[in-house]
Amino acid sequence: MPGERKDYISWDEYFMGIALLSAERSKDPRTRVGACIVDKDNHILSTGYNSACAGMSDKYDMPWASEGEQTGDKMKIKDYFVVHAEENAIDNYLGPKEKLNGATLYVTLFPCYKCAQKIARSGIKKIVYLNMYKKEDINEISKYILSKANVEWQPYKAKEEVLELKSKVLEKLSNN
């Protein structure tokens, strides 16, 4: 009988892969973000992706195109209505709150300041992110909030490998 398989994926690849697949549920045409919360024993506690807020339909009510950014119509700016992946992952968790203490959040985009606030309050103590948020001033505020709450963050190291893994998984899914 052969020995253990040697080419299996790491925990980091697995959880970031789940965050990437979660992002594929988002209807946002510009920014699809996914998140996966994991406890100290590598058990998945929750997942989330950016979506419409409660009571709004992702398909019919959300101004995904965000035309209001050009016209000034606030009702057509998606940022006022979207719930971020990190928020959804925390809100989707239905277990005992203490299980979030010391948990790790894998997320495809570094958290904005509002998500940093929610993460800080949740008990999550580590963030592994795939991409940095493009707005440096928001990153600065997020990092400040996270550092005050003793939440560490680190970039995901094997970015190319996990994106290749995502492509393989999506290809397998589409062939079935």
Side-chain angles (χ1 to χ4, degrees):
M1 184 154 129
E4 163 183 300
R5 196 177 120 218
K6 302 288 186 217
D7 62 344
Y8 56 89
I9 62 175
S10 69
W11 286 117
D12 279 347
E13 287 173 303
Y14 178 60
F15 299 132
M16 188 58 77
I18 289 172
L20 281 162
L21 285 175
S22 296
E24 291 299 311
R25 289 284 310 141
S26 174
K27 311 296 186 299
D28 190 333
R30 285 192 301 184
T31 311
R32 289 186 299 274
V33 182
C36 179
I37 302 173
V38 180
D39 73 10
K40 299 172 200 165
D41 298 317
N42 291 323
H43 298 129
I44 297 171
L45 299 178
S46 185
T47 61
Y49 56 89
N50 54 327
S51 65
C53 64
M56 291 182 71
S57 164
D58 274 339
K59 189 171 183 176
Y60 300 110
D61 297 328
M62 268 304 282
W64 290 119
S66 225
E67 299 105 1
E69 291 173 7
Q70 285 74 43
T71 66
D73 183 351
K74 304 267 188 260
M75 298 304 289
K76 294 194 177 188
I77 298 175
K78 75 171 183 175
D79 291 344
Y80 294 124
F81 305 103
V82 72
V83 179
H84 291 182
E86 305 93 308
E87 290 179 277
N88 273 323
I90 292 167
D91 290 345
N92 289 341
Y93 176 64
L94 299 176
K97 181 128 173 67
E98 56 272 4
K99 285 282 277 181
L100 289 174
N101 290 332
T104 299
L105 171 71
Y106 289 82
V107 64
T108 59
L109 187 63
F110 191 77
C112 72
Y113 66 92
K114 290 192 69 80
C115 289
Q117 292 169 351
K118 191 153 195 155
I119 292 163
R121 287 191 316 267
S122 75
I124 292 169
K125 288 299 178 190
K126 183 177 178 183
I127 299 168
V128 179
Y129 64 92
L130 189 62
N131 296 303
M132 184 54 79
Y133 200 73
K134 287 182 175 65
K135 297 177 181 173
E136 193 51 47
D137 57 332
I138 290 177
N139 290 335
E140 184 180 344
I141 295 166
S142 296
K143 288 176 181 180
Y144 180 80
I145 292 166
L146 295 169
S147 66
K148 289 296 185 181
N150 296 314
V151 177
E152 64 178 91
W153 61 89
Q154 67 183 53
Y156 180 75
K157 301 278 189 248
K159 187 174 181 176
E160 298 306 315
E161 289 86 348
V162 79
L163 292 175
E164 184 179 322
L165 175 65
K166 174 188 166 192
S167 294
K168 285 180 188 177
V169 169
L170 290 175
E171 184 179 319
K172 282 185 180 185
L173 290 173
S174 67
N175 289 334
N176 289 330

